[in-house]
Amino acid sequence: MEGAREQVTDQQQTVGIDDLPIRDELRGKSPYGAPQLDVPVQLNTNENPYPLPEPLVARIAERVAEAARGLNRYPDRDAVELRTELARYLTRTGGHPVAVGNVWAANGSNEVLQQLLQTFGGPGRTAIGFEPSYSMHALIARGTGTGWISGPRHEDFTIDVDAAERAIAAHRPDVVFITSPNNPTGTAVEAETVLALYEAAQAARPSLVVVDEAYVEFSHRASLLPLIEGRPNLVVSRTMSKAFGAAGLRLGYLAAHPAVVDAVQLVRLPYHLSAVTQATALAALEHTDTLLGYVEQLKAERDRLVDELRAIGYEVTESDANFVQFGHFGGAEGSHEAWRKILDRGVLVRDNGVPGWLRVTAGTPEENDAFLDAVRALKKEQSS
Ligand SMILES: *Cc1c(COP(=O)(O)O)cnc(C)c1O
């Protein structure tokens, strides 16, 4: 990005974004920007640290070669084979039978969420999320012209159900985001909470409730997928970016009533999911069991991070994800300074802007050891 910038001509550099006739609500705003720094230990974007196993790499090459022979044609617009396999995966692991008609896929769950907001949000409409939560919900809302409402949480980062119900009744949002396990806090949401907010949202409008389960494979608890039964306005969104270790693939999906799948067809770009993406995702799904084996290792490492951080003397938020929120570093300045000092020791963690807290992704045992050494040293320095 920076290299590309250096190559633009002087004349172009005198023109900034705000000199362009962009939409008013985009003026003065910043893009999504987790720093991509070249540091030995990168534990900042909740990626899976394990590269895909070689047999899977070979299978991807095979399936992509097959797809390449047909690249003169547009891909299967409805990605039926892929959606069938995703439905099979959800049925096997999600505690609820799902058919191809219940599943939709796109380039990352971010695109799934964007399609949902294009369909159910948009100008004159609003969405609510309970913050701190995944910053892209608010950003995609903005990008689709949907108004954003920041809903409340308890001090311990669980959702304050009474306050959330009041916020839904007062604002009558068109879309409600519930992230479980939540990013960046790691907290899971109880099924009863989802049901209470769903009822509140239906009474107020009715509105679409989106349960973002990007990290559910790492959870101690069962998926909220069974809740879609009999609730056409409830959507569960998933991704292959985290548990499947395929962030570079860009494959997200949702499960919902078939009417929701029909509705997003109204906004999706034709042939949005390339034949190469479909072939790669299908190859990865053939290796589900191997990939979920890594998830077990990561869960054990996540639990070790929680225990060791507490032993060092940090506060840790209960985590059901592949990352851990830790602190407390006083206010926003304290957490930023701590972030910097951990970075100086060669470990990149994430400052999500939650004052006093940082987030570390569970990496390999070696990476986690390096992180623990860094924060142990930091603790010593800060308490001396
Ligand atoms: C990482 C993440 C996603 C995944 O986005 P992709 O576009 O599928 O990579 C979705 N939701 C949450 C809460 C996340 O943290």
Side-chain angles (χ1 to χ4, degrees), residues 34-266:
Q36 290 190 312
L37 302 179
D38 192 12
V39 171
V41 181
Q42 299 179 8
L43 301 175
N44 68 326
T45 51
N46 298 345
E47 291 153 328
N48 192 312
Y50 296 106
L52 298 181
E54 277 307 315
L56 170 52
V57 172
R59 184 64 183 134
I60 289 172
E62 233 170 68
R63 286 199 80 137
V64 168
E66 209 176 298
R69 292 187 190 103
L71 281 184
N72 56 313
R73 302 288 178 191
Y74 283 112
D76 175 6
R77 199 169 46 212
D78 297 330
V80 172
E81 189 186 357
L82 174 58
R83 286 163 58 215
T84 302
E85 290 307 317
L86 289 169
R88 190 168 296 168
Y89 168 68
L90 286 175
T91 299
R92 190 155 75 80
T93 59
H96 185 68
V98 169
V100 59
N102 297 106
V103 175
W104 180 243
N107 296 283
S109 55
N110 278 304
E111 190 181 41
V112 170
L113 300 175
Q114 178 172 273
Q115 291 175 344
L116 288 170
L117 281 171
Q118 285 175 320
T119 310
F120 296 91
R125 292 186 162 217
T126 60
I128 191 170
F130 305 97
E131 296 185 314
S133 189
Y134 186 44
S135 62
M136 284 308 301
H137 295 158
L139 283 173
I140 299 170
R142 189 171 81 203
T144 56
T146 313
W148 180 254
I149 300 155
S150 180
R153 274 181 193 267
H154 285 301
E155 285 262 302
D156 69 356
F157 299 108
T158 57
I159 293 179
D160 181 339
V161 180
D162 291 340
E165 284 175 341
R166 282 197 301 275
I168 289 169
H171 296 283
R172 301 176 62 234
D174 299 278
V175 179
V176 178
F177 284 104
I178 301 172
T179 312
S180 182
N182 186 46
N183 177 13
T185 60
T187 36
V189 181
E190 303 290 346
E192 303 85 82
T193 299
V194 176
L195 291 177
L197 299 191
Y198 184 83
E199 292 312 321
Q202 302 318 299
R205 173 111 354 227
S207 40
L208 190 79
V209 175
V210 181
V211 178
D212 186 338
E213 281 199 332
Y215 300 98
V216 74
E217 285 93 344
F218 300 99
S219 182
H220 300 104
R221 295 155 217 237
S223 169
L224 297 162
L225 178 69
L227 301 185
I228 66 171
E229 189 61 40
R231 293 183 188 86
N233 292 337
L234 195 137
V235 176
V236 170
S237 118
R238 295 284 197 99
T239 179
M240 293 181 77
S241 294
K242 312 287 162 54
F244 278 83
L249 163 62
R250 309 308 301 131
L251 200 289
Y253 54 105
L254 65 74
H257 191 282
V260 172
V261 175
D262 290 344
V264 294
Q265 313 290 313
L266 298 171

